[in-house]
């Protein structure tokens, strides 16, 4: 496995030149496009790490999986999915059009920004700080990494420039899709997106999901088997936004990307995978990350289909 990961890094080194580092959140624009990392966590707890696996980046939309799990734990899946749907959109992650044109009573799914902002509004806690702390603590527990934190600079940058997300949120508030304080829900959302991780951390999240909700290294149950099943299914259909169909055909693994350049993947009953390459395609997914997953999937026959 170690040799395979190293050759995957080697084979994809040139791909970092394709695509662009996200810059609509100005601080992300400072990311180094040459970084390329991969990590695998097996279900016996063994880990394999190659390339720039140690480089930290912000979770961005990978955090939508964390908040979805926590919201289901807090409110129950029936309640959560009465407020957010389970259908893929075929549109970009920050698209606003369906909310008005289709007169939706809830956003399509929890992996697009509109859905994730509603999910953030469901996280329990007496104050915004407490809600954010619960998300960070949950991420620390799943990754067995107590040093995980919000990157305050990225948060500031996103909060200063996050007008599309503000527009989505206020539009949903005007239609009673989103209730409570818009600014508070956005603060939770922006901060969860700014949680900083490395590729090993995200491969551990994938491993817990692959292991039906149990941490492979301690045997501790984090979420119910049912929640793990729901989350992985939504990752398959919606995790790569309007690239989910192509990703399912070529790679066939439940996965979630983020504009920080990371992709978290969970191969049911086999392994968790974390890949990182900051250069993105036009859908906001890591180009090298997708290619590395494709190579790994082919080599180890990982497609679930
Ligand atoms: N924080 C980012 C945003 O809201 C997350 C998007 C993403 O990773 N696709 O725009």
């Amino acid at each position: 496995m170690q040799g395979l990961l190293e050759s995957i890094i080697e084979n994809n080194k040139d791909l970092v030149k394709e695509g662009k580092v996200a810059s609509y959140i100005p601080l992300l624009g400072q990311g180094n496009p040459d970084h390329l990392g991969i990590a695998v966590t097996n279900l016996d707890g063994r880990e394999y790490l190659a390339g720039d696996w140690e480089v930290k980046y912000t979770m961005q939309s990978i955090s939508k999986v964390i908040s979805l799990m926590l919201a289901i734990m807090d409110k129950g899946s029936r309640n959560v999915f009465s407020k957010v749907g389970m259908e893929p959109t075929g549109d970009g992650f920050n698209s606003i059009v369906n909310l008005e044109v289709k007169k939706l009573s809830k956003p399509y799914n929890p992996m697009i920004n509109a859905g994730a902002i509603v999910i953030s509004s469901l996280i329990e806690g007496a104050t915004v700080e407490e809600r954010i702390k619960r998300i960070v603590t949950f991420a620390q527990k799943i990754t067995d990494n107590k040093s995980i934190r919000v990157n305050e600079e990225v948060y500031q940058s996103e909060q200063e420039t996050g007008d599309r997300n503000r527009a989505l949120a206020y539009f949903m508030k005007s239609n009673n899709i989103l209730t409570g304080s818009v600014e508070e829900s956005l603060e939770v959302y922006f901060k969860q997106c700014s949680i900083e991780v490395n590729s090993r951390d995200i491969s551990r999240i994938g491993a817990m999901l692959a292991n039906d909700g149990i941490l492979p290294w301690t045997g501790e149950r984090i979420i119910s088997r049912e929640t793990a099943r729901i989350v992985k299914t939504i990752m398959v259909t919606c995790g790569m936004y309007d690239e989910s169909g192509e990703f399912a055909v070529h790679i066939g693994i439940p996965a979630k990307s983020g504009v920080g350049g990371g992709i978290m993947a969970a191969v049911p009953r086999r392994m968790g995978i974390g890949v990182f390459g900051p250069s993105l395609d036009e859908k906001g997914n890591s180009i090298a990350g997708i290619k590395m997953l494709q190579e790994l999937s082919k080599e180890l026959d990982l497609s679930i289909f």
Side-chain angles (χ1 to χ4, degrees):
M1 178 71 93
Q2 187 62 35
L4 175 60
L5 297 193
E6 272 156 25
S7 69
I8 287 176
I9 291 286
E10 209 42 52
N11 298 345
N12 291 287
K13 276 228 145 77
D14 288 344
L15 271 182
V16 298
K17 295 183 183 65
E18 288 179 26
K20 282 201 184 75
V21 175
S23 57
Y24 74 100
I25 299 171
L27 220 88
L28 292 186
Q30 296 177 10
N32 178 350
D34 292 338
H35 283 150
L36 209 55
I38 187 164
V40 164
T41 304
N42 275 346
L43 299 198
D44 59 8
R46 264 181 303 168
E47 294 187 310
Y48 302 90
L49 311 161
D52 302 307
W53 68 270
E54 229 169 335
V55 170
K56 288 183 186 170
Y57 48 95
T58 51
M59 275 185 153
Q60 298 301 330
S61 285
I62 300 171
S63 72
K64 294 169 179 171
V65 174
I66 303 282
S67 56
L68 175 61
M69 295 189 284
L70 201 53
I72 293 176
M73 285 164 77
D74 281 354
K75 306 275 195 212
S77 62
R78 189 193 293 249
N79 195 338
V80 166
F81 291 107
S82 71
K83 298 188 161 57
V84 182
M86 297 180 175
E87 300 302 335
T89 64
D91 296 312
F93 65 81
N94 58 5
S95 174
I96 197 164
V97 63
N98 290 323
L99 286 172
E100 183 178 30
V101 174
K102 301 211 174 128
K103 301 202 174 6
L104 298 183
S105 60
K106 54 186 180 185
Y108 268 110
N109 70 66
M111 302 289 121
I112 52 169
N113 290 10
I117 293 167
V118 173
I119 295 292
S120 304
S121 78
L122 301 177
I123 303 294
E124 283 179 4
T127 59
V128 181
E129 289 69 34
E130 197 180 310
R131 290 160 62 197
I132 294 157
K133 185 151 186 271
R134 287 190 65 232
I135 299 175
V136 174
T137 306
F138 191 49
Q140 289 175 341
K141 189 163 187 193
I142 302 171
T143 57
D144 195 21
N145 182 356
K146 291 253 172 333
S147 72
I148 282 181
R149 305 249 168 300
V150 169
N151 178 323
E152 291 293 335
E153 275 185 325
V154 174
Y155 162 69
Q156 277 307 331
S157 183
E158 177 154 4
Q159 117 88 27
E160 279 159 20
T161 55
D163 292 327
R164 172 67 71 99
N165 288 320
R166 242 170 235 117
L168 283 166
Y170 277 105
F171 190 83
M172 291 193 291
K173 169 95 176 179
S174 77
N175 287 349
N176 292 318
I177 296 174
L178 188 65
T179 49
S181 160
V182 168
E183 286 303 328
E184 282 185 14
S185 299
L186 285 170
E187 189 176 338
V188 174
Y189 173 73
F190 291 149
K191 285 222 165 127
Q192 73 178 55
C193 286
S194 306
I195 294 174
E196 205 167 48
V197 288
N198 64 32
S199 297
R200 183 175 65 188
D201 297 322
I202 57 170
S203 95
R204 289 180 177 176
I205 302 168
M208 181 277 286
L209 286 166
N211 202 28
D212 293 331
I214 294 173
L215 294 180
W217 48 93
T218 59
E220 185 186 355
R221 180 167 287 289
I222 297 289
I223 55 172
S224 71
R225 191 187 170 93
E226 175 67 1
T227 302
R229 188 184 64 76
I230 293 171
V231 169
K232 278 180 284 190
T233 312
I234 292 177
M235 285 163 64
V236 168
T237 53
C238 313
M240 306 295 287
Y241 316 112
D242 43 341
E243 207 170 349
S244 299
E246 202 176 323
F247 188 87
V249 170
H250 294 309
I251 293 134
I253 304 173
K256 181 75 208 85
S257 61
V259 291
I263 305 177
M264 181 269 286
V267 190
R269 285 162 217 126
R270 291 190 66 179
M271 66 185 72
I273 310 167
V275 289
F276 171 54
S279 279
L280 310 178
D281 62 21
E282 69 286 358
K283 319 259 184 185
N285 297 323
S286 166
I287 293 179
I290 289 181
K291 277 284 181 281
M292 290 193 287
L293 285 171
Q294 187 167 352
E295 209 174 315
L296 196 62
S297 175
K298 195 162 160 244
E299 283 299 322
L300 302 177
D301 193 18
L302 299 179
S303 173
I304 63 171
F305 298 106

